[in-house]
Amino acid sequence: MITVILYGEKNEKNLTRIFEKNLKRYYQVHAVEESGVQTEGRGRELLFLNTENLSRVNGGPSILVLKPSADLAGLSSVSGNVIALASSACTEQLAKLAEKKIRTVACGLSSKDTVTFSSFNDSRAAVSLQRTVENPDGRVVEPMEVMLELGFSYDPLSVLFYTAVMMICGGFSQEKQGQKTINFLS
C-alpha cells in the first residue's frame, strides 16, 4: 500500500479536493482525518493523509506532497521509501529537501521541471513526466504524457501534483494514457 501525504496548511482546499475526488476513481482510498477514517473506491489500497503537522515519515512507500505553505522545520525524520513532490517555485523547500537527502520530484511550469505542462488551455491540459523517476516501490517510471479533460478552472500546481502522484504510483499507466484522455473531476 502506498501512502500519500498532503503536507501544509489545511485551508488550501483546492489541492485536497482534487485528490479526494479523483483518487477513489483508481484506488481504494483510506482517508485518515482527526475525526476518523473513511474508505472509498476500489482497487489497490492507498492511505491518504492531509496534515499541517508532520514530524516524521518512516517506513513503507510514501509520497509526500508539499503544499507551498509547508514548513519543513518540524519534519525531523524521513526514512524508508519516500519521494517528495515540491513546486520548483518554492526554492527554500527544495533546498531543505536536498539538505535532508529526500528524493524529490520538482513540479512546475518550466521545461526544466520533472513534471510540467506540455500544453494547456481552459478545458484541456497535457502533463508530461519529462524524465525517468523511481517510484517509492523501487520501480522505474518512464517519461510519459497524459491528456486531461478539465471541466473547471484549475490551479496549475494542484493539477501537476495530482497527476505526478498518479504517474508515479502507476494510476495513469502508459497503456491507459495512450488510449484515452482522462476526465479530471474538480
Side-chain angles (χ1 to χ4, degrees):
M1 175 169 33
I2 288 189
T3 300
V4 175
I5 305 164
L6 299 186
Y7 180 42
E9 290 182 16
K10 282 189 167 185
N11 64 2
E12 293 180 33
K13 300 287 185 197
N14 192 30
L15 180 63
T16 304
R17 188 179 70 247
I18 286 172
F19 272 81
E20 287 173 347
K21 284 192 172 193
N22 288 281
L23 282 176
K24 63 187 173 189
R25 296 170 59 200
Y26 300 92
Y27 294 96
Q28 181 181 30
V29 179
H30 304 284
V32 179
E33 299 175 5
E34 290 177 16
S35 60
V37 177
Q38 180 175 334
T39 300
E40 289 185 275
R42 58 185 144 166
R44 219 170 102 202
E45 290 184 297
L46 185 141
L47 182 63
F48 178 70
L49 174 64
N50 181 26
T51 185
E52 52 190 41
N53 298 310
L54 189 66
S55 61
R56 68 184 187 284
V57 180
N58 304 100
S62 302
I63 297 179
L64 178 62
V65 181
L66 298 177
K67 298 176 185 178
S69 64
D71 179 9
L72 296 177
L75 189 60
S76 60
S77 173
V78 176
S79 64
N81 301 328
V82 178
I83 188 166
L85 301 182
S87 169
S88 60
C90 296
T91 55
E92 190 174 306
Q93 283 181 350
L94 292 171
K96 289 256 191 215
L97 290 165
E99 181 182 300
K100 293 177 183 284
K101 297 181 178 18
I102 300 171
R103 288 187 303 151
T104 303
V105 171
C107 300
L109 302 178
S110 164
S111 61
K112 294 180 181 179
D113 291 314
T114 302
V115 177
T116 189
F117 290 105
S118 52
S119 69
F120 60 92
N121 62 36
D122 290 343
S123 62
R124 292 179 71 124
V127 178
S128 294
L129 175 63
Q130 306 238 86
R131 54 191 120 309
T132 302
V133 297
E134 187 177 303
N135 77 6
D137 287 331
R139 290 180 296 209
V140 172
V141 181
E142 296 293 332
M144 69 175 87
E145 183 173 81
V146 174
M147 287 297 295
L148 301 172
E149 193 71 43
L150 304 166
F152 59 97
S153 69
Y154 56 92
D155 168 54
L157 186 59
S158 296
V159 172
L160 288 175
F161 278 156
Y162 172 78
T163 307
V165 166
M166 293 300 290
M167 288 172 162
I168 291 168
C169 289
F172 296 156
S173 69
Q174 290 177 319
E175 296 78 30
K176 287 181 186 175
Q177 69 89 23
Q179 294 176 2
K180 67 177 182 174
T181 298
I182 296 157
N183 291 318
F184 196 78
L185 303 175
S186 65

